[in-house]
Amino acid sequence: MKLIVAVIKPSRLDQVREALTEIGIEGMTASEVKGYGRQKGHKEIYRGSEYTVNFVPKVKIEIAVADELAERAMQAIRDAAGTGQIGDGKIFVLPMEAAVRIRTGESGNNAL
Amino acid sequence: MKLIVAVIKPSRLDQVREALTEIGIEGMTASEVKGYGRQKGHKEIYRGSEYTVNFVPKVKIEIAVADELAERAMQAIRDAAGTGQIGDGKIFVLPMEAAVRIRTGESGNNAL
Amino acid sequence: MKLIVAVIKPSRLDQVREALTEIGIEGMTASEVKGYGRQKGHKEIYRGSEYTVNFVPKVKIEIAVADELAERAMQAIRDAAGTGQIGDGKIFVLPMEAAVRIRTGESGNNAL
Amino acid sequence: MRAILKCGSLMGPAGLVFMAGTPAFAQEGGVLNGANTAWILTSTALVLFMTLPGLALFYGGLVHTRNVLSVLMHCFAVACLASVLWLAFLYSFAFGDGGSANAFFGGFGKIFLAGVAADSLWGDIPETVFFMFQMTFAIITPALIVGAFVERMKFSAVLWFSTLWLIVVYAPAAHWIWGGGMLSDGGLLGMGVRDFAGGIVVHVTAGTSALVAAVMVGKRRGFPGEITPPHSPVLTMMGAAMLWVGWFGFNAGSALTSDGAAGMAMTVTHISAATASLVWMGLEWLRYGKPSLIGIVTGMVAGLATVTPASGFVGPLGGFVCGLAGGAICFFATPWVKHRLGIDDSLDVFAVHGMGGMTGTMMTAIFAVPALGGLGLAEGASIGDHLFVQAAGIVIVALWSVVISFVILKAIDLTIGLRVSPEVETEGLDITTHGERGYSL
Amino acid sequence: MRAILKCGSLMGPAGLVFMAGTPAFAQEGGVLNGANTAWILTSTALVLFMTLPGLALFYGGLVHTRNVLSVLMHCFAVACLASVLWLAFLYSFAFGDGGSANAFFGGFGKIFLAGVAADSLWGDIPETVFFMFQMTFAIITPALIVGAFVERMKFSAVLWFSTLWLIVVYAPAAHWIWGGGMLSDGGLLGMGVRDFAGGIVVHVTAGTSALVAAVMVGKRRGFPGEITPPHSPVLTMMGAAMLWVGWFGFNAGSALTSDGAAGMAMTVTHISAATASLVWMGLEWLRYGKPSLIGIVTGMVAGLATVTPASGFVGPLGGFVCGLAGGAICFFATPWVKHRLGIDDSLDVFAVHGMGGMTGTMMTAIFAVPALGGLGLAEGASIGDHLFVQAAGIVIVALWSVVISFVILKAIDLTIGLRVSPEVETEGLDITTHGERGYSL
Amino acid sequence: MRAILKCGSLMGPAGLVFMAGTPAFAQEGGVLNGANTAWILTSTALVLFMTLPGLALFYGGLVHTRNVLSVLMHCFAVACLASVLWLAFLYSFAFGDGGSANAFFGGFGKIFLAGVAADSLWGDIPETVFFMFQMTFAIITPALIVGAFVERMKFSAVLWFSTLWLIVVYAPAAHWIWGGGMLSDGGLLGMGVRDFAGGIVVHVTAGTSALVAAVMVGKRRGFPGEITPPHSPVLTMMGAAMLWVGWFGFNAGSALTSDGAAGMAMTVTHISAATASLVWMGLEWLRYGKPSLIGIVTGMVAGLATVTPASGFVGPLGGFVCGLAGGAICFFATPWVKHRLGIDDSLDVFAVHGMGGMTGTMMTAIFAVPALGGLGLAEGASIGDHLFVQAAGIVIVALWSVVISFVILKAIDLTIGLRVSPEVETEGLDITTHGERGYSL
Ligand SMILES: Nc1ncnc2c1ncn2[C@@H]1O[C@H](COP(=O)(O)OP(=O)(O)O)[C@@H](O)[C@H]1O
Ligand SMILES: Nc1ncnc2c1ncn2[C@@H]1O[C@H](COP(=O)(O)OP(=O)(O)O)[C@@H](O)[C@H]1O
Ligand SMILES: Nc1ncnc2c1ncn2[C@@H]1O[C@H](COP(=O)(O)OP(=O)(O)O)[C@@H](O)[C@H]1O
């Protein structure tokens, strides 16, 4: 199993969620994060003073998937999250050794 | 070492923390996340219009543990987090290559 | 590639970010988390009643790096995040199998 | 002895003064009444409080976090703009003497408060106080419309629209009904439209214009399926409570006196608000299973909008029935506009203010009857006469509002454009237009 | 010439009118005083503001995020309910003329404001204004009790409890002390209990009933060890500040006049609030090492509750000592109730309002003495006489409140149930009962 | 007949009463005016509302989340402290009769309100009401200074500084200008400094002292590069709106009458606020490309501070020009202080209040001219005479404020220390000093 970690633009969350459900992925966990990267933060000006905001709001999605689904999931995310602009985000894939569904105790791919 | 990632119901956080300390795990990192899964989000109705809330509030706990503790930790989490209802959450186990305690520079299991 | 996960004191975020950019790491993802560890939470007293706050505010930084940068990144984080006090935090290193830049589709080290 | 006297344009917006039988009440030309002045000074503060921060917070809590500041900014900037315009010429257009054109227009005589000194009187209060009190109405009315186009209208377009709308819709409507124009006593409809505190002048103009604006600016992206819930019912409740308190100034202040007329107006206002809140809560509980905070406070606004035109003419029973009717009608109108008509009047300005204002305006005709606890009909008039006049007043003002709003919005659309780009809408107006974020917690 | 005249039930809740030596002050039957009316209209707005949004925010900030809306909802719905009930019959029960049963009960004569017209007077202000002013007291009193059972009581039970409590506890208590009933001048205790603005009628009734409610509804899950800190001291401070400002209407409005009586009441009110705030802050600093915002604002409420009964009878020294005593007594009472008695009176209604109200009621007897800057004792009465009457008043009303609250709560428990299920409590009332969340940031 | 009469110290802070030609206005010694009393009671509530919660929220929203409670706490504790000190002796020092030293100091005669009874009058309102109204000014002035040293000053140092500053800076300044002292009519400068509602007494004292405090306490860590944006523009806007509404009490209340003088003061106040808001918004839009909410509300405060000294002397034109000038001058002064002077006057107290107050004080001399719509110059005086007197007043009070603030801060620095440790500053004052967090959402 893999844990796919995608950092995307907040406004794409719903599209990504839909794209994933379309290919049969029914679970994911999202969180609000702050990203630092090529898409530079911005300056806010209050009363004539500049305030540097280094981090940009992003959403991180974590999706545990069976190995065979990983590729398609990545593709789906790319398609749904891409706007072609700097700051579209990243997808990272981590190996995952085990998964358990707390309610039933099922494990492995069945737990997802 | 393993990194155990558990996504649980927010109201079970304290029980899980206690269950883990009981088996000697003294550290963990929690964060507020939004979960999507079989436990469907809900509809909120404002002024007669339905608003679909797809994501459900969850808490994610990350616990770095020595390999030998992983099983017991998973069991402790299951016991403490389970309510038997849909949405109880998941436990994922990731392999971890290194751990360092920033303050002392200790590494490996000593860092946990 | 590695995914470095560092849990640090919120007030050190900017130093860590700067230390990382100095060694050429131009991207990272931060989030607010709550930590439980040796640095105990605190008691707050309201109207004569004690309220136990078990979790301490922390910041989690995730940095995907090429294997060869991992060591230096860890060192940079340690130097920048350390205050020598309990609660300085941890660094965890996870193996990472793939990385993709959503915008361009670049993958591997090029995606970072 | 109880009598309702219709007063000429000199006597103010409410057009009505309640007379008690004692010399203390006698209104002699040119004598200042300090007590009335104290109450109208206070009422002015209360009505300003309704918009800033009341309405701004009420609206701000209902939108997505990424647009909260833009809503506050709309309300704030519109309030400032309306104030300066009011001084510059709106007051003159609304309450000046338009000479031969007075039926339609108040003229230019009081531009920049020309001829108004600190000791000038309007009735028995200083004209500056009357000027200020009325200004707060001109502030809140365009701010109400903001609810129709939040989260997507260009800021510059909001400013242009509000400016033009105040000039061509609000000032005339206020003049027609309160400023001695064609809808007041002796005008087009004979005995005059009864609108104590703005059922037509404020709520019908704002409500119908809001509907037009919602159509012209278009739906929010993702409406209706993907709209997110109110980001902060806490803010909304806070704003609602301020609206309630401030509305005491709005309605009881419209008596322009500190006496039983104000007291009764305050009473019926409060009763209608409380009743409509409970009605909305109850209907929601029955129909959707959960009584919500957003629901109860929406009911409150409905009750207040409904009782506004009636508040100086009806008794407690009238207030109670305004609450019942206003609460129920607005409750059903709200999803009807959004889902049946498919109009994204985002914060339900028409369904709540427009429908409430119309309902109350009609009920004024009925519950003014002494047998129903009201303070009396116009001399020689029947309920039917009043119903006709009230309905005619609504129709005339609503038509005017709709047509003019359409023209203004069309003109803006063809020049600077009404709407932000999809990217800006997705990103949120706060950061893109105003360069700020609502919360950095 | 300075004289304190006790006035019959006609003269209103404060039971006291301060007389100056000039005709301008003379209270002649049937002549409306516009200035007094202006101040009571304003005071009515101020006291409504205390509950909505003041108290609601004050309480809302103290609970867990998952229950913030339910607290706002309790306050809002109770306010609406109390308003409609006040019109329907509570006002009559409290301030009507009960005929032969008048010692206990105000009768049915003023149901739905029967016989009250816009020009009816109460003393020298319109009766509608007096009605509205008193209504705001009936709104805030049950809302205060909400603090005892937040985060766990069923919403329907809250509504039933508030309704029955207003009828059987509040209206009688108000009648007994302010409405010419058995505890006012000439009644059971001869010279009458002195309760200027509600030390007994509001704070003792609410405080003691809260204690009963806390016991009957039971502790919150996890109390005391696992209760979380106030989720937003910012909201709480905001609400506290609104309470302070609104309390000027509460106490200085209770003079029912716009004169030195109101001025002195406002002065002592303010001094007590400021003093008690500093006392609480100081004690907290000494005892726990940190002066907290929640602490200082709690001290403020304690000071205000304490000075409430005294505010029309004492001078600046009295106000200052009320602040000292109220601040210190409530400071120590708060953990005592929670930890010694083990009662989860969650937001400390008894410790702050109950204890404060009692303290102030007793101090009224002492600091009314002219030598201590007070405005005078009843003719021929000693401090001891007053102390006895005040204590008797407290005991009678407290007992009544406790017994009746117990009965009402028991009845509700046996029928619809008082408490939500553990799951609902864990999940939070906002989403489960009201279908909303406080913040989606 | 329009005349401006300078009244002796008896007649109150504004030093001015506007007289209309009718008996209703005649001020006869010793007769209470209920209407004026009603308005000043209301104004007192409004001005308290400006600080609690107005200013506290306005400031609280501008700092980092980790310090929000400390800001609210500063404002709250300073308000309580000022209230108790005002009763104890500040009122006497400011408005008492200092006998032979009266030019400098009000004496000890009214300590703890000695000799002031409920029926004592100040002009034609109760002295208690005057006392309370003025107290609210003494509350807000030190609270304004808080903005200079937020996020880093020790809480105990804040309390000591505020206490000493009120005694040695505020009370004398108020006495000099409003209490019959050396800067009022007949004093040092002959015809007296004209400061209707506190351009000098409040804004110049606070603004200049803030500058000194900012220098002495030192910059925040990381200033200017690493300072974070305002954590909650929502809170700031809320507070700003409350300041606006409350300012009606501040300026129009300073008339001490409920008449055209109050009405005109309210009018010019409002116009200046609205105009300055738009000016700031416009300049920001032009210069930085985005009109911000923080910007528009800062403009509002600038407009209000500017018009404060002028509000009783000028007409609508004066109000408008105060808005234009105040908005523009403060807009440019703000970055100038921070970046050119390099002073971390964190929330821009000097640039907004200090500069605004000075600008308005000078403009008072010009726009009081009847030809510019003003209410008139002093008898026999030219604009030049007034300009000189106004400037001299500013210089004297500013110098006094600067020197004394320096001495007080130096003394505190050498004893208990002014500033928290770097660790505490990094961690935030909320948790370290007050043991609380602003939000636990
Ligand atoms: N090395 C990295 N490790 C972890 N997260 C990263 C890394 N680089 C970028 N990110 C995340 O991806 C987001 C987008 O990256 P950025 O460089 O701005 O644009 P792009 O994705 O177009 O290359 C960043 O805001 C950050 O959250
Ligand atoms: N494939 C997945 N990857 C990551 N997180 C998941 C996945 N599936 C579920 N989750 C998380 O687990 C939570 C619970 O899952 P859900 O399917 O609702 O119930 P259950 O745990 O009972 O099967 C979800 O809200 C989501 O946060
Ligand atoms: N085993 C663990 N797994 C995950 N996170 C941990 C673990 N132990 C500690 N942490 C995180 O590291 C933070 C610091 O740890 P703590 O034990 O308090 O101090 P130190 O880092 O000095 O040993 C904790 O607040 C928690 O967020």
Side-chain angles (χ1 to χ4, degrees), chain A residues 2-4 25-30 62-65 100-104 106 111-112, chain B residues 7-8 33-40 55-58 84-90 92:
Chain A
K2 307 287 178 212
L3 186 70
I4 300 181
I25 294 178
E26 294 289 353
M28 70 199 70
T29 300
E62 288 163 294
I63 314 128
V65 291
V100 178
R101 186 192 307 279
I102 291 175
R103 175 166 47 98
T104 58
E106 285 162 283
L112 304 182
Chain B
V7 179
I8 60 169
V33 297
K34 299 184 289 182
Y36 180 78
R38 300 196 186 176
Q39 177 197 8
K40 287 297 161 221
F55 287 91
V56 184
K58 296 280 170 196
Q85 283 167 333
I86 284 187
D88 273 356
K90 316 278 187 190
F92 303 131

Side-chain angles (χ1 to χ4, degrees), chain D residues 288-306:
Chain D
Y288 305 117
K290 289 185 176 153
S292 76
L293 184 64
I294 295 287
I296 200 171
V297 302
T298 307
M300 177 211 83
V301 175
L304 289 165
T306 304

